[in-house]
Amino acid sequence: MNFQSTRRNFLGGTAALAAGAALSVPAFAQAKPITLRVLTSTPKELYDNLGADFMAKRPDIRIVVDTPSPDYDDLTLRIFRAAITGDAPDVAFQGFNRINLVAQRGLAVPLNTLIDADGGLASLGYQTSLLDMTKVADKSYGLPFAISSPTLFYNLDLVEKAGGNPDRLPSDWPAIIELGKKIKVLGNGIMGLHYAYIGHSGAWTWMALIMSQGGSILTADERDVAFNGPEGLWALEMFRQFGEAGQIEMSLDQTRQAFSGGTIGILGTANSYLRSAEKAAAGHFSVRTASLPMKPNGKLPTGGNAAMILTKDPVRQKAAWDFVKFMTGPEAQTKLVNTTGYIPANSIAVNTPELLGKFFAENPNAMTGVQQLPTLGGWPGFPGENAIKITDLIRNHIQSVVTLRREPKAVLGDMVKEVRAMLPKA
């Protein structure tokens, strides 16, 4: 599934579509509202706030957001466990790379009938390229909610103190790593460079390195690995260099807290961290974002999630459908962008001046994500029962390289062998 949208297409279209996307509010006669349980990843407050906005428009539907999962892998396992115990949520905001696992187990509802009953989705601002990322066997299983991309965050004050030029940040990895080393020399507990891989589910940032060089994770038929070539070795060699530059083992939360506290010079993570980073840095230091260095034929895996309906009850499905349409519609998407760093999945929000029409022009850091749109491709998900075990295995191998315990070439050989053994047999 390829995401071939361009910035021009994304920002094109007409704001007049917004009128057709407004949530209709019928006369409600129900004495007791329908309660929908919703499973999400963090940040919970985002989903709570948007749920409250929806309930204000639809008092006949009550939204209860469960305790969030720290990542999409944990969220997937919770769905699997809930299916066994008969306690599945009604709606789940699932990572793009795990949609296939949930759909193939029959735990999600195909949305084709609901989409057709609404006359299609084109007029509501949904892009075909994004909708394609939620399809499994030509059936749609979700509406895209949030798009994220791998992004570099720079503390410009530390860059300048280390002798770098904040207006001319490095554009290739050797220069980025060299700048990170210079920042580390500043001392006082300052870390130069951290490329986060712990906490990002699905081995997302590892995949980003490989795909940015034109490499692939799986063969076209998804039956074998494709990262056993030079791009896969290069990615592990990069992790080795990150370790040599002083990267230490920290959770994703610890890493982001350190950057927000002004003690990391360069951080590689998801652009969804943007608003938190800028808010924490305000009055203390300046933040700038940049895309990962890429080859001309490179791609980046599209992170983020789509809203999936899990309830099998027809009445609850209709309520859930109205909820996920709201969450992926212009109003909710505007709040999403203003409170996070996600790229909106609904073009009407971007095309409408009073929503996000002026936002991106006034927020250059947020524009980094939009400018990455032409480079975004599918987020590969390993097939079969061992999908999550495979990405855990890959993370452990990466850890052995970052901590300088093993050499990249040896690790790649073991990684390829072990992942192949865990893939479904033909």
CSV table of all heavy atoms in Angstrom, one decimal, residues 27 54 59 134 153 166 180 229 266 298 334 374:
chain,number,residue,atom,x,y,z
A,27,ALA,N,-32.9,14.6,15.9
A,27,ALA,CA,-33.7,14.7,17.2
A,27,ALA,C,-33.5,13.4,17.9
A,27,ALA,O,-33.8,12.3,17.3
A,27,ALA,CB,-35.1,15.0,16.9
A,54,PHE,N,-17.5,15.3,20.7
A,54,PHE,CA,-18.5,14.5,20.0
A,54,PHE,C,-19.8,14.4,20.8
A,54,PHE,O,-20.9,14.5,20.3
A,54,PHE,CB,-17.9,13.1,19.7
A,54,PHE,CG,-18.9,12.2,19.1
A,54,PHE,CD1,-19.3,12.3,17.7
A,54,PHE,CD2,-19.5,11.2,19.8
A,54,PHE,CE1,-20.2,11.4,17.2
A,54,PHE,CE2,-20.4,10.3,19.3
A,54,PHE,CZ,-20.8,10.4,18.0
A,59,PRO,N,-25.7,13.8,22.2
A,59,PRO,CA,-25.9,13.3,23.6
A,59,PRO,C,-26.5,11.9,23.7
A,59,PRO,O,-26.6,11.4,24.8
A,59,PRO,CB,-26.9,14.4,24.1
A,59,PRO,CG,-27.5,15.0,22.9
A,59,PRO,CD,-26.5,14.9,21.8
A,134,THR,N,-5.8,1.2,4.8
A,134,THR,CA,-6.6,0.5,5.8
A,134,THR,C,-7.3,-0.7,5.2
A,134,THR,O,-8.2,-1.3,5.8
A,134,THR,CB,-7.7,1.5,6.3
A,134,THR,OG1,-8.7,1.8,5.3
A,134,THR,CG2,-7.1,2.8,6.8
A,153,PHE,N,14.4,16.3,15.6
A,153,PHE,CA,14.2,17.5,16.4
A,153,PHE,C,15.5,18.1,16.8
A,153,PHE,O,16.3,17.3,17.4
A,153,PHE,CB,13.3,17.2,17.6
A,153,PHE,CG,11.9,16.9,17.3
A,153,PHE,CD1,11.5,15.7,16.8
A,153,PHE,CD2,10.9,17.9,17.6
A,153,PHE,CE1,10.2,15.4,16.5
A,153,PHE,CE2,9.5,17.6,17.3
A,153,PHE,CZ,9.2,16.4,16.8
A,166,PRO,N,22.4,27.3,13.2
A,166,PRO,CA,21.0,26.9,13.3
A,166,PRO,C,20.2,27.2,12.0
A,166,PRO,O,19.2,26.6,11.8
A,166,PRO,CB,20.5,27.9,14.4
A,166,PRO,CG,21.7,28.2,15.2
A,166,PRO,CD,22.8,28.3,14.2
A,180,GLY,N,26.2,15.9,16.6
A,180,GLY,CA,25.8,15.3,17.9
A,180,GLY,C,27.0,15.1,18.8
A,180,GLY,O,26.9,15.3,20.0
A,229,GLY,N,19.9,-7.1,2.6
A,229,GLY,CA,20.9,-6.5,1.7
A,229,GLY,C,21.7,-5.4,2.3
A,229,GLY,O,21.7,-5.2,3.5
A,266,ILE,N,19.9,16.6,19.5
A,266,ILE,CA,19.2,16.1,18.3
A,266,ILE,C,18.4,14.8,18.7
A,266,ILE,O,19.0,13.9,19.2
A,266,ILE,CB,20.2,15.8,17.2
A,266,ILE,CG1,21.1,17.0,16.9
A,266,ILE,CG2,19.5,15.4,15.9
A,266,ILE,CD1,22.3,16.6,16.0
A,298,GLY,N,14.2,6.8,-1.9
A,298,GLY,CA,13.8,6.4,-0.6
A,298,GLY,C,12.4,6.8,-0.3
A,298,GLY,O,11.8,7.6,-0.9
A,334,THR,N,-8.6,19.3,13.1
A,334,THR,CA,-8.0,20.6,13.4
A,334,THR,C,-7.5,20.6,14.9
A,334,THR,O,-6.4,21.1,15.1
A,334,THR,CB,-9.1,21.7,13.3
A,334,THR,OG1,-9.5,21.7,11.9
A,334,THR,CG2,-8.5,23.1,13.6
A,374,PRO,N,5.1,13.4,0.1
A,374,PRO,CA,5.4,12.7,-1.2
A,374,PRO,C,6.4,11.5,-0.9
A,374,PRO,O,6.5,10.6,-1.7
A,374,PRO,CB,6.1,13.7,-2.0
A,374,PRO,CG,5.7,15.0,-1.5
A,374,PRO,CD,5.5,14.8,0.0
